[in-house]
Amino acid sequence: NAGVMQNPRHLVRRRGQEARLRCSPMKGHSHVYWYRQLPEEGLKFMVYLQKENIIDESGMPKERFSAEFPKEGPSILRIQQVVRGDSAAYFCASSPPASGSYEQYFGPGTRLTVT
Amino acid sequence: AQSVTQLGSHVSVSEGALVLLRCNYSSSVPPYLFWYVQYPNQGLQLLLKYTTGATLVKGINGFEAEFKKSETSFHLTKPSAHMSDAAEYFCAVSDRPLGNEKLTFGTGTRLTIIP
């Protein structure tokens, strides 16, 4: 059973460009979470999605950031008009629906560098 | 609001010595608590979790943690450190009982093992 997959692993963007980060959850998992890790800091929750629904986006910046998890295909975290402060590692995690395991399985992350 | 405090951003122990990484939490509901490990340039791997039941939980790689409600603590221990334990460790809390599984992380503790 493949784990959570994220691509690209490394992404370089110039200021003002768009960044699109993809996350494929583990097979059978319908819950996806995005977290951001700034240098020398812990992970900060951004958004929690289920298929075709945003459940909690309380950690998302109000502007330039959006996320989706369509019925088919991976979850996408989109950052428009990137700025240097967006440079960070972005992690996706998934969990199965109502499994009772209460744990999230993390992908290897996408490291975004804004130049 | 939930929060996690990890005392000591850097901890060094000698190989074979006791490992103790501290975690204190704040939660308005009975917490679900987790320890994750992160190796350089990798995602997070679950070490162990506490949800309900026995307060002393055992995880992978010889680690264990004890939930102490009176002290609001969930410290991570390992009797004998191994060189392969060198990594960053994150404590996290979830408000799962409220139906939202998002994790709130501490800022992490970097563990160095001295040969």
Side-chain angles (χ1 to χ4, degrees):
Chain A
N1 188 9
V4 177
M5 298 175 67
Q6 291 187 248
N7 66 79
R9 294 291 306 276
H10 299 274
L11 181 62
V12 179
R13 285 287 178 266
R14 292 199 180 105
R15 280 179 296 170
Q17 291 185 321
E18 178 180 288
R20 291 171 71 88
L21 288 62
R22 295 174 183 78
C23 168
S24 296
M26 288 179 69
K27 186 176 181 181
H29 288 195
S30 57
H31 299 195
V32 166
Y33 307 80
W34 285 94
Y35 295 85
R36 178 166 64 175
Q37 184 178 33
L38 294 170
E40 304 301 319
E41 293 188 16
L43 279 73
K44 296 278 196 266
F45 168 78
M46 299 181 74
V47 62
Y48 164 35
L49 311 104
Q50 295 178 16
K51 286 282 187 181
E52 299 184 283
N53 284 303
I54 297 175
I55 306 302
D56 181 353
E57 56 182 348
S58 59
M60 287 278 271
K62 294 287 185 267
E63 297 178 351
R64 302 187 297 107
F65 285 72
S66 63
E68 63 176 10
F69 188 18
K71 186 177 180 181
E72 301 290 338
S75 175
I76 306 287
L77 179 67
R78 182 182 177 204
I79 311 172
Q80 294 178 292
Q81 299 175 327
V82 297
V83 300
R84 288 234 171 95
D86 297 332
S87 295
Y90 292 82
F91 290 95
C92 167
S94 72
S95 66
S99 70
S101 69
Y102 311 123
E103 69 182 81
Q104 297 177 18
Y105 297 81
F106 282 80
T110 293
R111 281 156 181 82
L112 172 66
T113 301
V114 179
T115 62
Chain B
Q2 296 175 311
S3 66
V4 175
T5 301
Q6 291 185 242
L7 291 175
S9 58
H10 292 84
V11 171
S12 296
V13 302
S14 298
E15 189 175 14
L18 171 72
V19 175
L20 170 61
L21 304 182
R22 299 179 187 275
C23 172
N24 288 88
Y25 69 91
S26 171
S27 177
S28 58
V29 299
Y32 289 8
L33 295 158
F34 306 81
W35 274 99
Y36 282 87
V37 60
Q38 184 181 32
Y39 297 100
N41 297 316
Q42 294 187 27
L44 278 70
Q45 180 183 8
L46 181 69
L47 277 177
L48 48 79
K49 64 185 178 187
Y50 168 79
T51 53
T52 59
T55 56
L56 180 63
V57 292
K58 295 185 184 298
I60 62 172
N61 302 338
F63 284 93
E64 62 182 37
E66 186 171 11
F67 169 59
K68 292 187 177 180
K69 184 179 178 180
S70 61
E71 299 177 7
T72 61
S73 69
F74 191 57
H75 301 330
L76 181 71
T77 61
K78 181 174 180 178
S80 177
H82 191 274
M83 294 300 294
S84 60
D85 295 327
E88 185 129 26
Y89 292 79
F90 293 96
C91 181
V93 62
S94 167
D95 62 354
R96 181 69 164 62
L98 295 179
N100 186 333
E101 302 174 0
K102 70 180 182 184
L103 295 171
T104 299
F105 284 88
T107 51
T109 297
R110 189 177 302 276
L111 177 64
T112 300
I113 310 299
I114 303 166

